[in-house]
Amino acid sequence: MTVNPGPPEGRPQVPPVTETTDPGPPAPGGRDAKDAALDASRAVDPHGPLTTDQGVRVDDTDNSLTTGERGPTLLEDFQLREKLTHFDHERIPERVVHARGAGAYGFFEPYESLAEYTCADFLQEPGHRTPVFVRFSTVQGPRGSADTVRDVRGFATKFYTRHGNYDLVGNNMPVFFIQDAIKFPDFVHAVKMEPHNEIPTGGSAHDTFWDFCSLQPESTHMLMWAMSDRAIPRSYRMMQGFGVHTFRLVNAEGRGTFVKFHWKPKLGVACQVWDEAQITAGRDPDFHRRDLWEAIEAGDFPEWELGVQLIPEDDEFAFPFDLLDPTKIVPEELVPVRPVGRMVLDRNPENFFAETEQVAFHTANIVPGIDFTNDPLLQGRNFSYLDTQLIRLGGPNFSQLPVNRPLAEVRTNHRDGYGQHTVHPGTSYAPNSVGGGCPFTLGGGRLPEGVFEHYQERVDGAAIRRRSPSFADHYSQAALFWRSMADWEREHITAAFSFELGKVGDRAVRRRTVDNLTRVDQELAVEVARRIGEPAPDPAPADSSGGAEPAGVRLSPALSLDNLGGDGIGTRKVAVLVADGADGDQVRAAQDRMRAEGATAETLAAHGGSVSGRAGQDVAVDRALPTTASVLYDAVVVPDGTDALAADPDALRFVAEALRHGKPLAVLGSGTALFEAAAAAAAGAGSGDGPGRVAGVAVSGGGQDADAAFWDGFVALVGRHRFPDR
Ligand code: HDD
């Protein structure tokens, strides 16, 4: 029998049954308003006696009601039936894509008014805070899959504006695999686990995905992004976000301006390397979820800048690609990104299911001042999201769930349906006189502020089922991306193509893919073919390759990770390895300096507890090496006096992996012993060179010269995140 320990101080104070708490009206605007609205919807105060769903207080939910102590269970045991029935219905269908994710609340505030371009409420007043909820996700894997798989990441933001909810449902890559939403089911069927054996979980390295893409060359540009390190981010906090489609801003006079939305992380863009991501999937499958949660709990609130590329309507046809084509970017070199505001995530959800799982985004949730374009991918999405929520969240009333509920007043004639929470008074039709004509519409003439008015685009044409010829160039921006990469990025992309295709059994699929790559870059195609054991492909005809048809610019430095670093080393995790005899002053200096820079420094040793430093002082150990791994840290410090670790297999693996993954290291005094043993283990990554000759390693002879200048140098290395050429 289990015993409920109850509250710490004996029997709880039982509140009178009739007591209710009225949170009062929400505070106007800002984060407080959403908090108050959420508080109001929190029906359950957990501090009180246990009851049934009907509010009947019960004393024992550990034992079924039986006939005698050893007799059969009685059907009249309503407590047992209610408990099991509710449990049996706990699961809802997971999202068909983007099933695994993590979310957080925060706010958005503009730097300046964009009234010239849009009347969107959240872009009017500098400093006015609009509450937001953001959900990040992977795409392919189910809810239980690992965070660090190679995949696109979802980046969906719900703005609770005073004029209604606006959802910007984007990704961490600025283009997409297909041009028309009617292909989405095909694409998803191809990329998801294969139907016969449900393999692979959380990845695209399998036949059906590459079969589809090899026959659907419009996916080529997106493949270049998906095979780059962007698909294995270091953290949700260190990813860019993109609205992908061209949207339209509309100002109070009804004038439209095309817009592309960008989220730029304050911490800079940082990614894992492939081997690291693979190991992380085992060491901490919740790596990104945990990272976001812990950063917010620690008060390190992640921040992004919202940027816009504004394109006057007159320039609709000014580019060598179609603005409506979601497989194209507008290179930043052609239209600069203008920073217009910032978003800060400062509060974790209280209940994963109620908030992160039940949040429902919808591309058609737009507000006055924002409108669609005729991008055929966007138009189909505008149908799909509401449709999927109806099944996923069990009916049409999911917008009443706390996380989805607008802060703006809601007054509709919609009624009934599963899960109706609102007790509607009065009539539910229009026109009516019985209800005083309410709710009324504001028709006729100029609409007042805050009323949605469709952008009056002139449309004239015959119904036709054919892709626009202006969508036909599938290679020039893929080639632009390739040309704009640093050498190390090209190597990573080549390795990724080779790995994924190496997992493909059907040789016709491999060859088609390699042939397709010749249109991006012949050397890339030949090298991938070599690595997967296929014959070298013939060069593509010059007029069909990306090089032949420039995308408006030859090179886009804005695409390379080399140019996307952040300022400083805030929130980076540094491991300080310690053992009996370690130089305690150095350990303290490392910790102090890292903390002063906003980074964290954890001490790791062969065992938990503490070790005794060289001067006899106790050095507290944050984690035992066997319980952690280098992939969970950004950089490593090996202080003087850690000679004993050179024979510790966990320490050796830790440093060898960090070396192999290009991570910055600080090696001090006799810490060289561990470094050298590890370098020998990590063949190819600094082996035999001595720490002084390996890129990204700060070396100090020992106690005296580990001064401020040494730590300055190390901080600079950590700021570069990675030394991929090591
Ligand atoms: Fe989608 C979820 C992003 C194309 C249909 N999508 C979903 C989510 C994100 C995106 C971030 C997760 C939202 C959350 O966290 O709950 N999707 C995109 C982007 C696309 C895109 C950036 C291309 C530019 N999606 C797309 C198309 C369709 C869908 C073309 C269908 C025609 N997407 C869905 C969906 C999902 C979804 C099936 C699954 C769960 C959900 O909507 O709520 O309706």
Side-chain angles (χ1 to χ4, degrees):
M1 174 173 162
T2 52
V3 179
N4 183 348
E9 280 149 34
R11 269 331 256 180
Q13 288 285 312
V14 180
V17 177
T18 50
E19 189 176 303
T20 56
T21 10
D22 177 4
R31 176 173 170 259
D32 293 347
K34 188 62 190 165
D35 283 352
L38 284 167
D39 286 345
S41 67
R42 270 186 213 118
V44 181
D45 172 4
H47 307 104
L50 188 69
T51 74
T52 66
D53 269 351
Q54 305 307 317
V56 176
R57 291 175 185 172
V58 291
D59 201 31
D60 175 3
T61 57
D62 294 338
N63 297 291
S64 304
L65 185 69
T66 54
T67 316
E69 281 176 0
R70 302 180 61 251
T73 301
L74 294 170
L75 192 58
E76 68 199 63
D77 185 354
F78 64 92
Q79 294 181 45
L80 169 73
R81 278 186 285 115
E82 182 190 276
K83 190 171 175 182
L84 291 188
T85 308
H86 202 283
F87 170 76
D88 292 343
H89 295 261
E90 276 182 4
R91 291 293 164 270
I92 62 171
E94 66 173 31
R95 290 167 173 81
V96 56
V97 281
H98 297 266
R100 182 171 179 81
Y105 293 95
F107 63 85
F108 171 80
E109 63 183 356
Y111 299 143
E112 55 174 323
S113 171
L114 280 197
E116 183 186 348
Y117 302 100
T118 175
C119 53
D121 170 53
F122 69 106
L123 293 170
Q124 299 304 299
E125 300 158 40
H128 170 75
R129 291 188 171 186
T130 297
V132 298
F133 183 81
V134 175
R135 184 173 178 274
F136 304 104
S137 48
T138 51
V139 177
Q140 196 263 12
R143 273 193 64 182
S145 53
D147 278 346
T148 58
V149 294
R150 175 176 298 284
D151 199 353
V152 181
R153 298 298 185 285
F155 189 141
T157 308
K158 190 179 283 296
F159 298 80
Y160 304 93
T161 86
R162 289 171 296 190
H163 295 166
N165 284 357
Y166 170 52
D167 292 353
L168 182 56
V169 196
N171 280 338
N172 73 331
M173 297 178 193
V175 289
F176 202 61
F177 289 99
I178 48 171
Q179 294 172 321
D180 187 320
I182 201 167
K183 295 300 298 167
F184 193 68
D186 300 299
F187 164 68
V188 174
H189 292 167
V191 71
K192 284 292 252 191
M193 293 89 84
E194 298 204 4
H196 57 301
N197 56 10
E198 278 236 339
I199 295 174
T201 301
S204 55
H206 60 119
D207 283 52
T208 54
F209 173 72
W210 287 97
D211 183 28
F212 175 84
C213 290
S214 67
L215 296 166
Q216 191 77 28
E218 71 204 48
S219 63
T220 309
H221 186 195
M222 181 65 164
L223 281 177
M224 300 302 294
W225 284 81
M227 294 304 113
S228 79
D229 288 359
R230 305 280 193 135
I232 40 174
R234 156 68 179 84
S235 158
Y236 288 141
R237 303 176 293 125
M238 299 169 197
M239 300 187 319
Q240 280 175 301
F242 302 90
V244 179
H245 311 282
T246 302
F247 291 92
R248 203 186 304 262
L249 296 180
V250 185
N251 72 5
E253 283 75 51
R255 182 170 56 86
T257 305
F258 292 117
V259 63
K260 291 268 191 190
F261 289 111
H262 296 244
W263 290 114
K264 298 202 180 231
K266 257 283 164 57
L267 295 170
V269 181
C271 300
Q272 293 197 301
V273 294
W274 175 237
D275 183 62
E276 182 187 19
Q278 302 257 297
I279 299 169
T280 314
R283 290 287 186 167
D284 186 3
D286 305 306
F287 186 62
H288 288 146
R289 184 180 277 192
R290 191 188 307 282
D291 168 272
L292 180 67
W293 180 275
E294 288 182 348
I296 293 175
E297 288 300 296
D300 290 327
F301 302 139
E303 185 172 331
W304 286 261
E305 195 155 66
L306 180 68
V308 291
Q309 286 177 295
L310 297 172
I311 299 154
E313 293 207 320
D314 288 347
D315 289 350
E316 179 168 3
F317 302 107
F319 301 95
F321 49 84
D322 196 324
L323 280 180
L324 302 186
D325 176 355
T327 66
K328 302 294 182 294
I329 58 167
V330 177
E332 292 185 32
E333 290 70 21
L334 292 184
V335 180
V337 177
R338 171 167 162 182
V340 296
R342 68 180 191 128
M343 176 171 75
V344 177
L345 298 183
D346 59 4
R347 189 159 62 85
N348 278 315
E350 222 157 279
N351 183 286
F352 187 92
F353 180 83
E355 297 162 280
T356 309
E357 191 59 19
Q358 292 199 111
V359 67
F361 293 95
H362 184 14
T363 47
N365 287 350
I366 53 171
V367 286
I370 300 199
D371 215 323
F372 313 121
T373 59
N374 295 326
D375 173 342
L377 193 72
L378 174 60
Q379 305 257 322
R381 292 180 77 192
N382 287 342
F383 166 77
S384 196
Y385 288 74
L386 173 57
D387 189 37
T388 206
Q389 314 304 357
L390 290 174
I391 177 82
R392 190 171 73 82
L393 297 170
N397 292 316
F398 59 85
S399 60
Q400 296 177 23
L401 294 167
V403 68
N404 297 323
R405 205 157 59 200
L407 278 177
E409 284 182 337
V410 176
R411 204 173 289 110
T412 72
N413 282 326
H414 311 322
R415 289 295 182 273
D416 308 344
Y418 287 110
Q420 178 60 260
H421 279 236
T422 310
V423 181
H424 291 105
T427 60
S428 56
Y429 60 89
N432 73 63
S433 63
V434 174
C438 288
F440 54 88
T441 52
L442 296 154
R446 273 288 292 286
L447 295 178
E449 188 198 333
V451 179
F452 190 85
E453 196 177 4
H454 287 277
Y455 176 74
Q456 296 187 6
E457 183 177 13
R458 191 174 165 74
V459 182
D460 194 7
I464 185 169
R465 200 180 281 285
R466 196 170 60 216
R467 197 74 54 91
S468 166
S470 57
F471 280 36
D473 161 28
H474 304 317
Y475 301 107
S476 63
Q477 288 210 349
L480 170 69
F481 184 79
W482 176 253
R483 279 195 300 271
S484 305
M485 294 293 102
D487 287 348
W488 65 269
E489 291 176 292
R490 291 187 194 190
E491 169 48 33
H492 288 191
I493 293 169
T494 309
F497 271 111
S498 308
F499 174 88
E500 298 255 324
L501 290 171
K503 294 271 203 177
V504 169
D506 186 330
R507 295 196 62 187
V509 172
R510 292 161 162 240
R511 286 183 184 177
R512 270 204 307 272
T513 306
V514 168
D515 274 343
N516 199 30
L517 284 180
T518 62
R519 291 160 204 268
V520 179
D521 185 82
Q522 178 66 10
E523 273 180 35
L524 165 67
V526 168
E527 181 56 16
V528 171
R530 188 188 70 76
R531 293 191 195 185
I532 62 173
E534 294 297 338
D538 294 330
D543 62 353
S544 69
S545 77
E549 203 181 331
V553 286
R554 279 296 299 170
L555 277 182
S556 175
L559 299 177
S560 169
L561 291 171
D562 267 355
N563 303 319
L564 294 171
D567 295 335
I569 64 167
T571 81
R572 296 297 160 105
K573 283 185 80 175
V574 180
V576 184
L577 304 189
V578 296
D580 286 337
D583 183 332
D585 294 338
Q586 244 170 40
V587 172
R588 171 78 55 79
Q591 287 174 317
D592 289 349
R593 184 60 197 269
M594 292 305 112
R595 286 173 194 155
E597 299 288 335
T600 60
E602 288 184 352
T603 48
L604 314 183
H607 52 78
S610 63
V611 294
S612 83
R614 176 177 294 162
Q617 73 273 54
D618 264 4
V619 178
V621 175
D622 294 316
R623 266 172 232 281
L625 275 161
T627 66
T628 187
S630 75
V631 292
L632 309 180
Y633 296 87
D634 294 295
V636 186
V637 177
V638 190
D640 195 13
T642 50
D643 316 38
L645 292 178
D648 180 317
D650 290 322
L652 275 171
R653 190 176 53 212
F654 197 98
V655 176
E657 265 177 17
L659 261 172
R660 216 172 57 231
H661 298 151
K663 291 185 180 168
L665 282 100
V667 181
L668 298 109
S670 64
T672 319
L674 172 58
F675 178 88
E676 279 176 353
S687 173
D689 286 347
R693 289 212 239 126
V694 182
V697 182
V699 189
S700 152
Q704 298 315 317
D705 62 337
D707 54 10
F710 172 79
W711 294 113
D712 286 347
F714 182 58
V715 168
L717 295 180
V718 180
R720 286 184 52 191
H721 185 57
R722 189 91 53 187
F723 293 82
D725 291 332
R726 184 176 283 162

